[in-house]
Amino acid sequence: AEFSQSLITFSTCSSLEMGGSGSKQAQLDKFGQLLSVQEKEALSSCFAAVAGSPDAESFSEDKLQAYLSGPKMQLPPEIISRLFGILRGEDRDVQVTFASFILNGSQLLKSSISQKSQCIHRLCDSRAPTLAGLQSLLQTFLQAVLRSPCHEAVFPHARNWTPAGDNLSVLVSNLTDTLRQKLSRSSSEEDVAENQPVSVSDLESWLISCSLALRVFEIGFAFCFYQQAIRPDATPSDIRSYLGLDSLDARDSLASTERLLIPIKMQHPIFRETFGSKLLDQSSLMLLNSYFPHEFRGKLYPLFSSLHHGESFSTFCKQLMDKGPTLVVVRDTGGNVFGGFAAESWHYNPQFTGNASCFVFTLLPKMGVFQPTGYNENYMYLQQTAQTLPNGLGMGGQLEYFGLWLSADYGKGHSKAKPRCTTYGSPMLSATEEFQVDLLE
């Protein structure tokens, strides 16, 4: 009964049977039932590191502030203060005891979405969480995760991509857009103000529908509690096991890649292209990777870049065709960055091909992913030498009126959507309906 208390009430261990320092192992076994042996060791090490001694029975907020505001996490003081309140429980007069830390810490790390939602709700604001507060919290966790040495140790491949930079705020806006729309429907106001309150129920529904946001919070919590596990001799495999990524080193395992925030950029064993992307950064990759079908997540192989291969539609098609699922990214001369994910191999065909896993997207000036509406099945189209059909690459819409079109006359394209592309429900992706290609990957 003591163990089953959830984050709804934020268990206070002052009301539980604690015992002295000699009973720490018993407390660990009693209140850490959600944890593996390795995770128990990691949480115990974390408690000792925060408290400053392996013999300490409790720690103050100042200790937690010093631990989590340092270079390993760089969380702001107000977030750490709210996290301290969660770990301590409802009793405002006590410090965080070992048992309270294990009980509430293990629930933060291993509990259900419902319980995590209540915790995240409290981290937004201890009084009245708002949409703006949630956006700020998500961006804080994204920044903390990406800057953390834990991230570098666990995901060393991330350095192969351009850092997220200012695009993180664009990503956060996109991730919270569905929640904003839901609040708009339930509000009498036309536009939801940034101070619109967010309930626990709203937050839970959003996290269920937005797997990327949930994963960011989960990894952030893990980094907070398991950073002590990163010893000088620890390998990425050692640390990944704490994050539920212990099978990452199994190269062909589905579980090894589908939970990555950022895909691994790999050299294809046959095509062996090695160029870097000028259009994709860590924030855009996090978004796109979360929409890829599970079996395709986690790995990307470079195939074509107009900077590397030249501005030729024939070369583009040669590099693109019969390569399996591909991601096409365009920057037009107006500065917009957009593209499409093809879930099947490209090949010349007078008919539309593809399946409902295809999607189109925009990355700049806004981020958005647009999946099939079910109106038609005009997912993919490719022709180069047809006499009576349009020659080029198209996604969505219909012939001569594509949601995304790259002409075989290299450099020309269009994105026609009035008001929306029938296939993907996407708006105009480019800066102007008819556009010129600046860079193609």
Side-chain angles (χ1 to χ4, degrees):
E2 291 167 338
F3 174 74
S4 67
Q5 294 182 64
S6 72
L7 288 172
I8 296 174
T9 56
F10 295 96
S11 306
T12 95
C13 290
S14 60
S15 64
L16 305 176
E17 224 178 89
M18 291 297 97
S21 59
S23 64
K24 276 190 175 180
Q25 184 59 50
Q27 295 171 29
L28 190 60
D29 293 338
K30 181 177 183 179
F31 301 115
Q33 295 179 32
L34 293 173
L35 305 172
S36 67
V37 172
Q38 192 175 38
E39 290 166 338
K40 289 177 182 178
E41 293 175 355
L43 267 190
S44 296
S45 297
C46 178
F47 181 87
V50 175
S53 168
D55 299 321
E57 295 293 332
S58 63
F59 61 78
S60 65
E61 182 178 333
D62 290 343
K63 295 282 190 178
L64 190 65
Q65 288 281 356
Y67 186 73
L68 292 180
S69 62
K72 286 190 175 182
M73 277 305 290
Q74 303 180 47
L75 290 176
E78 63 273 15
I79 301 299
I80 301 173
S81 180
R82 293 168 195 158
L83 182 59
F84 179 82
I86 291 171
L87 294 173
R88 180 178 52 185
E90 293 181 333
D91 191 340
R92 303 294 180 182
D93 298 325
V94 299
Q95 296 185 327
V96 173
T97 63
F98 180 76
S100 177
F101 180 80
I102 297 300
L103 175 61
N104 291 317
S106 65
Q107 290 186 345
L108 273 175
L109 292 163
K110 308 289 283 189
S111 63
S112 66
I113 292 181
S114 179
Q115 292 172 315
K116 285 189 176 81
S117 299
Q118 295 170 65
C119 171
I120 295 168
H121 195 259
R122 272 191 71 174
L123 286 178
C124 289
D125 192 320
S126 58
R127 297 162 299 176
T130 63
L131 180 61
L134 176 61
Q135 291 172 326
S136 176
L137 181 69
L138 179 57
Q139 183 155 340
T140 296
F141 265 71
L142 273 167
Q143 290 171 334
V145 164
L146 293 177
R147 294 172 181 172
S148 170
C150 298
H151 188 266
E152 178 72 13
V154 178
F155 308 119
H157 65 275
R159 71 171 73 99
N160 294 326
W161 301 103
T162 304
D166 294 338
N167 281 347
L168 273 183
S169 60
V170 182
L171 174 61
V172 168
S173 178
N174 171 267
L175 294 180
T176 55
D177 189 54
T178 55
L179 180 57
R180 184 186 294 106
Q181 292 174 6
K182 178 180 178 180
L183 294 175
S184 296
R185 290 193 296 267
S186 61
S187 173
S188 58
E189 301 177 10
E190 289 188 9
D191 296 315
V192 176
E194 294 303 303
N195 61 356
Q196 179 82 8
V198 177
S199 69
V200 175
S201 176
D202 291 333
L203 183 56
E204 181 179 349
S205 297
W206 172 66
L207 288 174
I208 290 172
S209 66
C210 188
S211 60
L212 175 56
L214 178 62
R215 190 72 182 125
V216 168
F217 285 122
E218 288 176 338
I219 291 180
F221 291 146
F223 282 3
C224 284
F225 291 102
Y226 295 150
Q227 57 173 285
Q228 196 62 26
I230 299 186
R231 306 176 306 277
D233 61 338
T235 66
S237 180
D238 293 334
I239 307 161
R240 288 167 187 153
S241 64
Y242 293 125
L243 305 178
L245 289 166
D246 48 325
S247 60
L248 184 61
D249 292 321
R251 181 169 298 180
D252 296 322
S253 169
L254 170 60
S256 70
T257 56
E258 68 169 351
R259 300 183 71 197
L260 291 178
L261 285 179
I262 300 172
I264 301 171
K265 184 179 71 174
M266 304 186 71
Q267 185 183 75
H268 197 283
I270 298 176
F271 314 118
R272 306 191 69 79
E273 299 290 351
T274 58
F275 60 87
S277 175
K278 299 295 184 182
L279 300 180
L280 297 172
D281 65 5
Q282 292 178 357
S283 58
S284 57
L285 284 162
M286 278 190 282
L287 177 67
L288 295 175
N289 190 58
S290 70
Y291 281 88
F292 293 154
H294 286 276
E295 63 269 28
F296 303 140
R297 290 182 186 176
K299 296 179 182 179
L300 286 175
Y301 303 92
L303 290 177
F304 173 88
S305 169
S306 57
L307 285 178
H308 183 73
H309 294 89
E311 298 181 344
S312 164
F313 190 78
S314 296
T315 304
F316 172 64
C317 290
K318 178 183 176 182
Q319 294 295 107
L320 183 73
M321 288 197 303
D322 300 316
K323 301 297 194 300
T326 48
L327 190 71
V328 176
V329 193
V330 185
R331 183 174 68 205
D332 65 18
T333 52
N336 282 27
V337 178
F338 51 93
F341 169 72
E344 296 180 355
S345 284
W346 289 99
H347 54 270
Y348 298 134
N349 195 313
Q351 306 295 324
F352 281 92
T353 60
N355 61 48
S357 293
C358 299
F359 60 80
V360 296
F361 58 87
T362 177
L363 300 178
L364 284 176
K366 294 182 178 181
M367 284 188 182
V369 173
F370 307 95
Q371 297 173 295
T373 62
Y375 183 85
N376 58 41
E377 297 181 349
N378 298 347
Y379 306 119
M380 301 163 53
Y381 173 90
L382 183 64
Q383 281 285 7
Q384 187 177 7
T385 59
Q387 299 297 314
T388 60
L389 294 171
N391 289 310
L393 180 149
M395 295 191 72
Q398 60 191 46
L399 299 182
E400 309 291 359
Y401 201 91
F402 292 91
L404 170 59
W405 173 251
L406 298 174
S407 173
D409 183 6
Y410 185 90
K412 298 178 181 180
H414 72 239
S415 177
K416 297 183 177 181
K418 292 182 179 179
R420 295 271 174 169
C421 168
T422 54
T423 307
Y424 295 109
S426 54
M428 184 175 71
L429 305 174
S430 46
T432 56
E433 186 172 273
E434 303 282 343
F435 65 83
Q436 294 290 319
V437 174
D438 178 50
L439 180 59
L440 175 63
E441 295 179 352

